[in-house]
Amino acid sequence: MLSALWSQIIDLSLFVILLRFTTPILLSALGGLIADVAGVINIGLEGLMLISAFSAIAVGSVTDSWVLGLVAGVASSMLVCYGMGFFSLKLKVDMIITGFAVNILGSGLTIFLMNKIFGVTGNYSPSGLHNIPVVRIPFIDTIPFLNKLLSGHSLMTWIAFLSVLLCVFILYKTPYGVHLRSVGEAPQAAKSLGISVNRIQYSALAWSGLFTGLAGAYLSMGMTSMFVKDMTAGTGFLALAVVLLGNRNPVGILFGSLIFGLASAIATVVQTIPGSKVPSQFIQMIPYLVTIAALVFFAIRKKKKLNDALRAQAEGAVKIAAA
Amino acid sequence: GCGKSNTSTSTPGAAGTPAAGKKINAVYFVNGTLGDKGFFDSAQRGVKQAGETLGMTVKTVEGGTNQADWPSGLESLASSGKYDVIVLGTSQMTDIIKDVAKRYEKQKFIFFDEAITGLPNVYSMTYSQNEGSFMAGAFAALVTTSTELKGANPEKVIGFIGGMDIPIINDFKAGYEQGAKYVDPAITVVASYVGDFANAPKGKELALAQYNSQKVDIAFNVAGGAGLGLLEAGNSLGKYSIGVDSNQNGLYPGSVLTSMVKAIDNSVLRALTLFSQDRLGFGKNEVLGIKEGGVGLAKDELYSKHVPKAMQDKIMDIEQKLNKGEIKVISTLK
Amino acid sequence: MAILLEMKDIHKTYPNGTKANRGVDLTIHEGEIHALVGENGAGKSTLMKILFGLEAPTSGSILYKGQPLRFQGPKDAIKQGMGMVHQHFMLVPSLTVSENIVLGEEPVKGLFSLVRDRAKELSEIEKLIETFKLKVDPRATVETISVGQKQRVEIIKVLYRGARLIILDEPTAVLTPQETDELFESIQTLVRQGYTIIFITHKLREVMEISNRVTVLKAGKTITTLLTKETNPEEISRLMVGREVLFRVEKQPSEPKETVLSAKNLCASDDKGAPALRGISLDIRAGEVVGIAGVEGNGQTELVETITGMRKATSGTISYFGEELIGKSVAQIRAMKIGHVPEDRQTTGASLTSTIAENLILDHYRNPEFRRGPFLNKKKIKEFAKVMMDVYDVRAQNEDVMAGALSGGNLQKVVIAREISKNPKLLIASQPTRGVDIGAIESIHREIIKRRDGGAAVLLVSAELSEVMGLSDRIAVMYNGKIVAVLDNHDGLTEEELGYYMLGIKNQERKEALQ
Amino acid sequence: MNTRQAIYLEITGIIAAAIMAILCGFIVILFSSQNPIEAISSFLGGPLSGAFNIGTILNKAVPLILTGLALSVVFQSGVFSMGAEGQLYVGAFVGSLVAVYVHGLPAWILLPLVLISAMAGGALYGAIPGWLKTKWNANEIVTTLMMNFVAILTTSYLVNNVFKDSASGGFARMHYVDPAAKLGKIFTGFPAHYGVVVALLAAVVVYLFMYKTRSGYELRLVGKNSRFADYGGISTKRVVIVSVMISGALAGLAGIVEILGVHGTYKDNFSSGLGFDGIIIALLARNHPIGVVAVSLFYAYLQVGAASMQVGSDMPRELAIIIQVMLVLFVSSQAIFAYLKQKFVLRQKAVN
Ligand SMILES: Nc1ncnc2c1ncn2[C@@H]1O[C@H](COP(=O)(O)OP(=O)(O)OP(=O)(O)O)[C@@H](O)[C@H]1O
Ligand SMILES: Nc1ncnc2c1ncn2[C@@H]1O[C@H](COP(=O)(O)OP(=O)(O)OP(=O)(O)O)[C@@H](O)[C@H]1O
Ligand SMILES: [Mg+2]
Ligand SMILES: [Mg+2]
């Protein structure tokens, strides 16, 4: 079993699977991040992804254009985010209630629309759909190892990783990013300087909708080419966990998503090795257990760092006192 | 408006009008939601056809995924007294229907996919999914060892992707394995589970890993919506797959070579027809296997077109042996 | 002088029904320093928030440079050249000083002006720091700088936006005397350059020292506006409070008895792990007030927290009536008749979202007297709270009012009431009168002396030198985690001398060592 | 404004919000139904038509009340747990083991024993994230979310492979519980089972605990201001652990009551998100036990309404859910209440 796992690490299969699992989690976690940074925690990632996944493939298949599909997916997700803003910022509904409402809505609405528009229930798998393309890098494509490492990944995977840079840029390099952070951390202070807290939070939700929309479109038009009801199956909640695991910054989110992606990839590989005696339920548990372990690991390290500092200082203090 | 209509406009074609000449009111209770492209949808088709061909008034009520809603959902239908017959199924409903049927003796029920006996107002039918799966396994074994099919490789490995690691799915798996081994004992079955019946991306990932790393060239989808990811993966790699419950051959012609069909639609239609003629055997259970046409491989034009003739013959041969009882298929369920 | 601003008959009713302003008139002249005084809750902050566009007035008119004016929000006010330094810091802790200063008005560069221009940001701020002599490191994160520096950041923020009329809401409440002096110098610099200042404070000494005119508010109304040089603190306080206020605490010389608390070689670290106490030794006896003087951040907070069990000591001993305190839990220590008025009433001393009654029974809810079977005795608790509010003059509708709805002075009275009513043998009071109006200060001081006369030992920590000198029998000066001097409080002791110790220029230990 | 007026305003607000939501829903229905009046009347009137539906509302409210209480307790202590779902499974599983395998005890011993073991199971499972939080400050949202998956998968494995009743066919369940442990119907002909009594009792106990006891006072204080609690000598860590354990116990109770009252045995995957419904319930009720009861009944009413609209009209299930979402959103809109309050205050002022 281990040798099979090892061989797939060597031939980069594991890496490729890891990238595919990481992409949607990373994107929607970035969406969660921006909202969280601005103090409007977005629990509705799951519902948003579903809505985007459906809109993307619906428009993409009808217009025969993945670009339009992608735009539609993102637009629908942003629209729902605007609605979240209306209820939470204007009508002052608790942000968490709004988020849960969007999750319930996402499931019901997509099934309803799928039925009304395409007359199908359960799933919609148009034939001849143009998926979000895969990026092949001409020159590298011919070099053994490197081709698998760099070429042949979905465009959305590249977008996801570039989005991490974009988020770093937005949050730390632009005035707007500083406004986002200040609104999340000290809304009174931001307000006192004439920064419109509401407007910033609306915009944060829009970003949240954008990234989550990309994640959703990837599910239906990249990872697969179909919409299946409730196809997110908890991905949004995992993204939420990654937002918190990633310590509320884009690079942390990247690492969190990679940890999760790796665990999922390993679980996938282990599950497809014949003759494995471990019950499937326990293999499926791996990503969740790894997430808890990672969280605890980082928490312990943080605490230990502080303790070490305290101890070192204490020893210093004793010396000073003795002197 | 359906369901509510209590007007008794008698339809011509007399079939739908028993004794009193009143239009028959049938309702299909789904203990879950429609849209699995399999089981529930198949029954729904049967009920719909009954509505169209027999002139019945039919309505479908989805009970939702919360199991706690099902008893009250069913009971509210029974207690309303509006329906002449209630169609429902799955082993998850057996306790519930037993309870409700006892208390509403006048209400008639048609129950599929699990045996209920000893209740005078319930007719039930079961399908030998293990027999169907046996055929699927035999078919897969023939494919993976085939030299005619371009996508087949020499390795004797076939795949299985289940929605959840639960008995009903594992009954499919047992039949599948038995069928494969019947053709060639050296065959290995790689089995993986998605964990739910919705996560198509994950289903696809598992399938890709099976095809790419385990040298699987044909895999059996027993994962509902999530299993559609498997069919897509097979198609994208030029490999093969077997659909489930409904005929899924048309989804990826040439890649989905066949489907293991439970003819719930036909059997429900048949039961409703018999009911309309007042000939349905309430209080009894009927087992619908390969012989009775309750289960089997979907052999449509696509099948004829893409499956080599020799293979089709071998399948026919195995089917006959099953019919004659020369092969006994195990079931993990009973 | 030209009239810059006129506010006429301003009324403000908050959504919860509080009438904070009920007819306020205020006239500000160009280039003056105008002090605004009044009891806690008189409506000063509200008035300024209305002026700055943070709250909408219920009625009334505002004329600015002769033009009627109604701001939609602070952005308009800033555009008109107003700036406000709020009573509570309006800073984003995790951002740097410079980021806080330019927030909302960042210099930008690059394509579409998208990118922050950090270099320009820093150079502009350094220029301001230079011009107005407001020393602070623009690169430091705000959560790491001292209170005084935060205050400067607030002022630079206002200046950066080009304000000409600057509102300072209780800027000195949290400053040390030195920091206050520096602030006043900066204010003088500003006025010389033509700026106009509105200055809110509870410290009449400051009013006398710096303002040109003073307006007194009471219960949401303007009482009067006076020329500072034609009035005196006594008159102002009479107008504010409605009675004579004693500025000097009346007390007899102390008669110290047995030692209550004796700390030996106490060491402890601060929250970030840096050493904060470096071998503190201190005795407090029954019947005396020991005051701790010192610039804030020299270990006073940690000392109090270590004694009360909220912070672990890294070494040393604390004996209380001969019993070791170190290693005991907060609950055990509180049960030993030690009262503790913490320095931060908003976050530590009270739960703002709990009722006054719930805040008052913090020590008593474990007491069988307040129980009935397994349950708390609500009736008893209510009665108790009523009595306490009556005795300590907490002004609120009833005991079920949320503590957060109280003004700072009243909230502080709740804390003091709770800690004193347990009849402590040792009372530790940290910044007991910060931000509190003169009427309330008087009563809090009287309570502390009453405890002392009743035989309790009192440890008083205050950044307010006049308070330390007014109440203490002995004064210990802390500098850099150590006690550098213990002085008897007598008439000959000057603030100046204390200041030398506080700044580390003078050191008793060293002096003794040299002798 | 006195408390009586405040309550009156609150009720007015709820009615106003409900009317707005129903109007919104009505617009949706207008566009998609042949017979909108019938649809809306079966949505609103259906749930109250007949003893059967009313009983169903009560039964549906039972697990909601219990999970809502579970979450209101942790939320009040300032811990944002999302783990009720997992705790519910573990509690129900442990309780079911007792109910299935312990025989020969009279009901008055067996039933409490079953309930207590379910509560213990939930409490212990809930203690894990609490412990991780107090010990290492590990974020409880992440740990509880992940532990839900772990609980569901583990119990699923066990019921499918170890404790499966061989007669249960394709979908695993345990053997039926001992008849003495069942929560029967309160009245014959009325579907509500004794779980209703358990839930109401739990609400009263939680109310008394939270607002009348020392521990409740400590718990709320820690949630409101943990620094203040520390300063007052309250062991915040202990309080946090206690609160997550109480919460876990209530979630476990929710699970076992559902098993004993509705299913009669432990079924694989029997709860579809009851623990998450509890989060909404607790938030809507602003964490007050009495509010939890009211909100749960309202929520159950909406669900039964959605079901009866599906049966009684041409509206699909999904649309009913969308209307339900609207109702939840409007009713939890603080702005509507604030607006009413302000109007009230201003009117009072005008009177003065
Ligand atoms: N946002 C608010 N909502 C309701 N009431 C408020 C609000 N802000 C202030 N108040 C109330 O308005 C009254 C005036 O408060 P204000 O802050 O103006 O007083 P102040 O004169 O600044 O007092 P202090 O000296 O304590 O700062 C007080 O009773 C206060 O409780
Ligand atoms: N929304 C509100 N409802 C009720 N009271 C409020 C509200 N907002 C603020 N207050 C209270 O009004 C009082 C005055 O407001 P302000 O912001 O000036 O605080 P404060 O200055 O802490 O009072 P103090 O001097 O007396 O320091 C405060 O005690 C504050 O808690
Ligand atoms: Mg003020
Ligand atoms: Mg104040």
Side-chain angles (χ1 to χ4, degrees), chain A residues 169 171-175 178-179 181-182 185-186 188-195 306 309-310 313-314 317-318 320-321, chain C residues 52 74-75 78 86 90-95 99 103-104 106 108 114-116 157 161 269 271 273-275 278 314:
Chain A
F169 175 77
L171 286 178
Y172 302 106
K173 299 288 171 205
T174 66
V178 185
H179 297 180
R181 286 186 285 151
S182 56
E185 195 179 330
Q188 287 300 328
K191 188 181 161 200
S192 76
L193 293 177
I195 294 174
L306 185 68
L310 283 175
Q313 299 292 1
V318 170
I320 291 169
Chain C
F52 198 58
K75 196 139 210 169
I78 292 168
H86 298 266
M90 293 283 188
L91 296 170
V92 188
S94 76
L95 299 186
E99 284 173 327
L103 190 62
E106 293 86 352
V108 285
L114 268 180
V115 188
R116 290 162 53 200
K157 253 164 80 176
R161 284 166 178 73
S269 305
D271 290 334
R278 306 159 180 262
T314 45

Side-chain angles (χ1 to χ4, degrees), chain C residues 44-46 87 169-170 200:
Chain C
K44 308 178 293 287
S45 297
T46 303
Q87 180 167 359
D169 192 352
E170 289 191 41
I200 300 178

